[in-house]
Each structure stands twice: as C-alpha cells, then as structure tokens.
Amino acid sequence: MNKSKLDICNMALAILGQVDMSSLTEENQRARLCSQYYDIVRQQLLRAHDWSFAKATAKLSLIRQETNKGVMEFVYSKPANSLFIAKIYNEGQMEKAGHFRLEYDNVKKEEVIRSQVEDAMCEYTRDIEETSLYDSQFVEAFSAALAAKMAMSLTGSTQLYQMAVQTYQYALDNARYTNKVERLETAVFDNPYLTARE
C-alpha cells in the first residue's frame, strides 16, 4: 500500500475531524504533534504485532563465548535495525527455539543478545521507515494509533480520544486474525506430511 508519511498523518487528523496538512513542515500544532509522535507510534506499533512485512531473519554475529558455569554463554550483537527479537535458534531448526535474554553490555556499550544457542540465527521485527512497505492493515492501525496519541493535545476531547483508541484496537485485532489465518494456510501448504494426508 503506497501511502506516504504525510498521508498517514492526514488519515490520523481525519479521525479527529481535523483538516489535512499540505506539508509536515507547516507552522502549526497539527504538524508539530505529528512530527513529535510519528516515529514513537510507528515503533510501538511495529513491536505490537508480528507484521509479515517487517519480519526478518539473520545469522547473528558472535561477540564472545563465556565459560562461566550455569550461564547462557554465547553473547551476540543485535541486528542493527531490530525492534523486537522474537526467536533464537540453530539454522535449520527454527521450531526448536532456544532461550535468550537481552542485556546491556558494559564492554560493547550497547544492548546485546545472550543465549545458550551456538551459531545462532535470529527472527526479529525490523524497524521499517519506508512507508511503501506497509500493508493496508498496518496503515489503518498506524493512523488510528497516531490519532489517539494526538487527540487530547489537539482537540481536548475525551470522546475523540476513545474513538481513536477503539479504531486502533479494531484494526489491530483484524490484523492479528488475518495473520493467524495466513500462517495456518501457509503451514498446511508447505508441510509435505500434511499435504500428503489430504
């Protein structure tokens, strides 16, 4: 779905009964609030659901292996554009996910992944800024979430705020349902054992 950042902001403003902006650089409260909250809401929403367009896998880069008994000894760098780490696993064994945790590394001065999985692969959610990659359900949920974030500051209306929250929740629920159905159909289609039993 090819919607621009400005389109998404204007969709949010429409939910609140506001007029469209012609540019995000306008000198008014609508433009300032959109600029203030856009990236925050975008990242929160990307983390809130397993969006298929944002999913990625990568071989993790090992920082070091520790030998302390009883600890998850493999320490990996996080993928640079990751927002949410969903799974750590050995290549070819995605169904056997390993334990992991995120922690701040005092040596690297950044957040790292600690796991007991050697030669680990990672499934994660990417931090996507390119709006042309967003699907229609994400755009709908994004604009409603942005509207809810701006509602009180822009309108002072509790009713409009509640309406935007309800619109967001409805869009998110629809996306989750669609994703569940798509995963089930894909799993059945790709599984040779299930296909053979048909």
Side-chain angles (χ1 to χ4, degrees), residues 4-70:
S4 68
K5 180 176 179 178
L6 179 61
D7 290 331
I8 293 169
C9 288
N10 281 333
M11 288 172 67
L13 292 171
I15 292 172
L16 301 177
Q18 302 290 307
V19 298
D20 283 357
M21 298 182 297
S22 57
S23 169
L24 290 168
T25 60
E26 290 181 6
E27 291 293 329
N28 56 52
Q29 188 183 24
R30 291 171 298 147
R32 285 191 294 272
L33 288 172
C34 283
S35 296
Q36 180 180 348
Y37 290 124
Y38 183 91
D39 285 325
I40 294 171
V41 173
R42 176 181 59 78
Q43 291 185 340
Q44 287 175 340
L45 185 56
L46 283 166
R47 285 175 53 88
H49 180 66
D50 186 18
W51 305 97
S52 58
F53 69 86
K55 184 185 295 185
T57 58
K59 173 95 169 155
L60 292 179
S61 175
L62 182 67
I63 298 172
R64 63 181 179 274
Q65 179 179 357
E66 299 178 348
T67 57
N68 297 337
K69 187 176 180 180

Side-chain angles (χ1 to χ4, degrees), residues 157-188:
S157 170
T158 303
Q159 183 178 1
L160 284 173
Y161 166 74
Q162 291 173 342
M163 181 187 68
V165 170
Q166 289 171 357
T167 302
Y168 163 67
Q169 193 58 59
Y170 178 76
L172 191 59
D173 288 346
N174 279 343
R176 286 173 172 157
Y177 175 76
T178 301
N179 189 68
K180 180 180 179 181
V181 171
E182 287 176 341
R183 281 188 168 189
L184 178 61
E185 292 298 329
T186 301
V188 170

Side-chain angles (χ1 to χ4, degrees), residues 60 62 64-66 71-76 87-90 97-103 112-118 120-121:
L60 292 179
L62 182 67
R64 63 181 179 274
Q65 179 179 357
E66 299 178 348
V71 304
M72 293 188 282
E73 66 267 34
F74 299 101
V75 180
Y76 298 100
K87 187 182 296 185
I88 303 294
Y89 60 96
N90 286 118
H99 295 292
F100 72 93
R101 70 170 182 258
L102 300 178
E103 62 181 41
V112 297
I113 302 170
R114 181 182 289 274
S115 177
Q116 90 281 19
V117 178
E118 188 175 7
M121 298 287 292

